[in-house]
């Protein structure tokens, strides 16, 4: 065998936006001077690798090392779980001089949720909105939905009440918000905090329920004034 390689460590852990180093030991067991390059096969989406030095030249019986740095893009985290990478050492001049060692990459879970409401203000006879729940993390999530206002006057319902989302997945949910209308006075606006919760992640959005009084303020005042006049007349 004209080429010997060893990769250390054989297993690594890597989070979104992180970097991890590997050392590749290379031994020239041939009777010729050889140059070697190192590449990594099977990198997850958003992953990149840097080799220092980019090329290693060894005389017969000589050994050397190449330092690899594997990085991930924080905006495109790899799926959580285990990936087997292939560290390949080859000669650019002799295709038959090639060796590969496996390295296990453990990608850490990075859950994330984002919510979008359309519209953000509801009212009238059909106070409904569409809620878009987006899984922005790298692992599947079971998402529970809830809504609450400070006065606890609004009843909030979701259809469906919970969703299961794969990494990068989205779901559309119908939100209904109802409350007793004020008898009189000015229109009211009731802010409702909508939350989506899953293991290690939470998203929030605000839905406003706008309501008009059952009896307009001016009409109620006019009725009261008329009643007062009737009493005085009597």
């Amino acid at each position: 065998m004209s080429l010997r390689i060893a990769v250390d460590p054989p297993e690594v852990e890597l989070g979104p936006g992180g970097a991890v180093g590997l050392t590749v030991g290379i031994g020239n067991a041939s009777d010729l001077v050889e140059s070697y390059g190192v590449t990594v096969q099977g990198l997850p989406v958003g992953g990149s690798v840097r080799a220092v030095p980019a090329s290693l030249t060894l005389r017969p019986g000589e050994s050397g090392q190449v330092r690899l740095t594997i990085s991930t893009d924080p905006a495109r985290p790899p799926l959580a779980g285990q990936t087997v990478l292939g560290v390949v050492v080859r000669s650019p001049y002799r295709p038959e001089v090639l060796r590969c060692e496996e390295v296990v990459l453990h990608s850490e879970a990075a859950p994330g949720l984002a919510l979008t409401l359309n519209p953000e203000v509801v009212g009238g006879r059909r106070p409904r909105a569409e809620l878009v729940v987006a899984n922005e993390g790298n692992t599947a999530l079971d998402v529970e939905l809830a809504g609450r206002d400070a006065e606890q006057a609004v009843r909030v319902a979701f259809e469906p009440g919970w969703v299961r989302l794969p990494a990068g997945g989205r779901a559309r949910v119908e939100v209904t918000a109802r409350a007793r209308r004020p008898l009189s006075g000015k229109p009211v606006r009731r802010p409702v905090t909508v939350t989506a919760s899953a293991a290690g992640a939470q998203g929030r959005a605000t839905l406003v329920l706008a309501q008009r009084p059952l009896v307009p303020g001016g009409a109620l005042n006019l009725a009261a004034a008329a009643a007062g006049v009737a009493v005085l007349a009597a």
Side-chain angles (χ1 to χ4, degrees), residues 34 44-45 49 57 167 189 226:
E34 292 281 11
V45 175
V49 63
T57 300
R189 294 168 69 89

Side-chain angles (χ1 to χ4, degrees), residues 98-112:
L98 180 147
R99 286 287 307 279
C100 178
E101 288 288 334
E102 292 183 348
V103 172
V104 179
L105 173 65
H106 300 278
S107 298
E108 300 173 2

Side-chain angles (χ1 to χ4, degrees), residues 64-212:
Q65 292 182 340
V66 173
R67 182 69 174 174
L68 298 180
T69 301
I70 299 175
S71 306
T72 58
D73 185 348
R76 305 171 67 193
L79 293 178
Q82 179 176 301
T83 304
V84 178
L85 307 179
V87 178
V88 181
V89 179
R90 57 163 51 93
S91 167
Y93 308 111
R94 295 202 296 159
E96 69 276 12
V97 180
L98 180 147
R99 286 287 307 279
C100 178
E101 288 288 334
E102 292 183 348
V103 172
V104 179
L105 173 65
H106 300 278
S107 298
E108 300 173 2
L113 285 171
L115 304 184
T116 305
L117 280 164
N118 184 32
E120 296 180 344
V121 180
V122 297
R125 295 183 178 181
R126 294 175 59 85
R128 298 178 182 176
E130 181 184 73
L131 174 67
V132 178
V133 186
N135 182 352
E136 296 186 336
N138 65 348
T139 185
L141 295 175
D142 290 324
V143 184
E144 295 185 356
L145 303 170
R148 183 169 181 170
D149 64 305
E151 299 177 346
Q152 300 186 37
V154 182
R155 302 182 304 278
V156 184
F158 300 90
E159 181 57 42
W162 70 277
V163 292
R164 179 170 178 80
L165 294 177
R170 292 172 176 263
R172 299 180 184 275
V173 178
E174 183 181 83
V175 186
T176 304
R178 299 185 183 277
R180 286 182 177 274
R181 289 172 58 188
L183 177 61
S184 63
K186 298 180 179 179
V188 298
R189 294 168 69 89
R190 305 183 191 274
V192 178
T193 300
V194 176
T195 59
S197 303
Q202 188 174 77
R204 294 177 180 270
T206 300
L207 178 69
V208 177
L209 175 61
Q211 294 182 302
R212 294 181 178 275

